[in-house]
Amino acid sequence: MNPPAIVLYGPPAAGKDTISEALTGLDHRYVLFEKLKIATEYGDRPGYRLATEKELAEMRARDLVVYENARYNNRYVVDRPGLAAAFATGDVPVVHMGQVAGVRALRAYPATWLRVLLWCPRDVTARRARHRGSPDVDARLTAWDETLTDLQASDPDDFDLRIQTDQHEPAESASLIDAALTAALARTSAPGADR
């Protein structure tokens, strides 16, 4: 059976960080997957492993990139070695994603992925971004608009669970995700599930 993993998709300030923390509080095996970040701005934000353009080029040449995207003048990468290291510890990686293409790309990596759509209205993103002191609120709102356009082009089966984060507390959202992953794992381990 493939190991479990979670991908949280949504616009900026939809609650990916907060819900990831709530998941870790629920079960220590839930661990935020730290993407590689090739930074030009705001490079000191925690939650990333910093890399250079040269390192990224080498990874591309060796087919070690699962997905990469550009946003906020930086590049973000989900890499095979990073995922392998997370799974090797027995952790359940929680990957943050802002593009449906990234959610789909992760399906190619052998894991039992629970794909969760976290959503909040645009004004909630603005309020949360200001509250946490984001230096680039306008860029966050542009990303919210891009996420809405991206989501409108998605397929119904791109997500296993949808949570409106302005209507659920983080702990409640984490419990919903945990229960959905438990159910998904039960389905994949049931007799005949691999047929």
Side-chain angles (χ1 to χ4, degrees):
M1 183 173 77
N2 286 331
I6 295 170
V7 57
L8 301 180
Y9 166 92
K16 294 185 287 290
D17 288 333
T18 307
I19 291 170
S20 294
E21 290 175 15
L23 281 165
T24 300
L26 193 63
D27 186 329
H28 70 278
R29 292 174 299 166
Y30 291 121
V31 176
L32 174 65
F33 176 77
E34 293 187 341
K35 292 181 183 178
L36 290 173
K37 181 177 182 180
I38 296 82
T40 57
E41 294 182 13
Y42 314 117
D44 60 348
R45 185 165 182 229
Y48 297 97
R49 295 171 288 137
L50 296 182
T52 65
E53 286 287 355
K54 180 181 178 184
E55 290 168 328
L56 177 55
E58 290 170 357
M59 294 186 79
R60 287 183 190 129
R62 296 173 55 205
D63 194 30
L64 297 178
V65 173
V66 176
Y67 182 73
E68 70 175 279
N69 70 289
R71 186 165 271 176
Y72 313 124
N73 296 314
N74 301 308
R75 297 203 67 75
Y76 302 91
V77 177
V78 177
D79 61 308
R80 293 181 190 283
L83 286 173
F87 286 122
T89 64
D91 290 336
V92 178
V94 179
V95 181
H96 294 181
M97 196 61 67
Q99 302 79 28
V100 172
V103 175
R104 292 173 179 165
L106 288 174
R107 293 169 91 171
Y109 191 92
T112 300
W113 290 99
L114 180 73
R115 297 155 300 150
V116 183
L117 166 61
L118 302 178
W119 194 255
C120 67
R122 192 176 193 273
D123 65 311
V124 173
T125 283
R127 186 173 67 248
R128 288 175 176 173
R130 288 187 190 99
H131 183 262
R132 70 184 186 192
S134 293
D136 55 351
V137 174
D138 289 341
R140 304 280 163 178
L141 292 176
T142 297
W144 189 98
D145 295 336
E146 292 168 353
T147 307
L148 177 61
T149 300
D150 187 48
L151 184 59
Q152 289 170 336
S154 69
D155 295 327
D157 65 347
D158 281 327
F159 301 100
D160 305 300
L161 179 65
R162 296 165 188 258
I163 299 174
Q164 190 79 23
T165 63
D166 58 316
Q167 298 174 13
H168 296 276
E169 291 298 319
E172 181 186 4
S173 297
S175 293
L176 291 169
I177 293 166
D178 181 64
L181 183 60
T182 299
L185 292 170
R187 285 191 301 273
T188 60
S189 64
D194 56 349
R195 292 180 189 168

